[in-house]
Amino acid sequence: MIKESFIFKNSEQILALCRKNKMRISDIAVRYEMEISQKTEKEIWDKMRKIGSIMKEAIKNGIENPKKSISTMSGGDAQKLVKYAKKGRSSLNELSLKAMTYAIATGETNACMGRIAAFPTAGGAGVIPGVIMSLTEVLKLSEETMLRGLLAASAIGVVIAENATLSAAAAGCQAEVGAANSCAAAAAVEMKGGTPQQAVHAAAIAMKSSLGLVCDPLGGLVEVPCIKRNALGSQHALGAADLALAGVESFIPFDEVVETMYEIGKIMSPRLRETALGGLATTKTGMAIKRKMGLPVIQ
């Protein structure tokens, strides 16, 4: 008897596997990884548990041990948000504010050479922990639910990597923060009990709102504007998840949105793809950072 394969290349195949086996996206992700890596199911869950632990550690360090990065462009903003939340003046709810705080904390830990989970990349590493860890805390969800969120996010990441790219150097920040928004949106739907179809719609909606996003880091460092983009990316993800859970569907299928993101990346100027040769990187402030770092300044 031929054993069924759980290898997938796109979201249509994920959904087909979910329907056929009456499984969630996280279940498909586990079996995909087991087949790819030849590891046991326990090993896969343990690996995700370790990733979750690293994310929590990065968040904690960013909030409790605030310090400026070597460039001095970032540091201390996560703690500012924690203090602001205590004042009760935010126009956002507790979940949204925590998601932004955790996203920034992760980015600040990264900028200070701390350990993070580059999920899906270092440049977009704040969105997923921001969304998943804030949801887990505020809604008092179980560890298993948190891990299922990470697994669902990873499945969406596989689709993007297989059919486009996760590299800002290849397609701009839409391929990093934009991709993270999609992964986090699908994770949020899974964690809140939505269907696989709703998770994929959320991923599509989140990515559509990030199409064309350029990568223009000051001094070529993953700090400005990257860290704050992660914070606002968490809001894109949570909003997309709620739209999908409410029954709003993406008119354009996720797989087509992913293909479009890649095509946009191909026609995007190289100056806007992580080279620090355009966009915010070439403002007066950006040029000042380049001089400070001893880098060539564009005249």
Side-chain angles (χ1 to χ4, degrees), residues 9 156-167 170-171 174-175 179 207 254-266:
K9 297 289 186 182
I156 295 301
V158 167
V159 172
I160 298 170
E162 286 283 352
N163 297 281
T165 181
L166 292 170
S167 168
Q174 59 173 356
M207 179 166 283
F254 178 59
D255 294 332
E256 293 181 26
V257 177
V258 171
E259 292 171 4
T260 299
M261 182 270 280
Y262 198 29
E263 289 303 314
I264 291 172
K266 289 176 182 177

Side-chain angles (χ1 to χ4, degrees), residues 24 36 46 55 84-85 106 136 142 149 162 179 191 193-194 216 220 243 269 283 295:
R24 289 174 281 186
I36 288 288
D46 286 345
M55 288 180 172
Y84 177 64
T106 301
T136 302
S142 67
E162 286 283 352
M191 292 172 72
D216 50 356
L243 284 170
S269 168
T283 59
L295 297 173

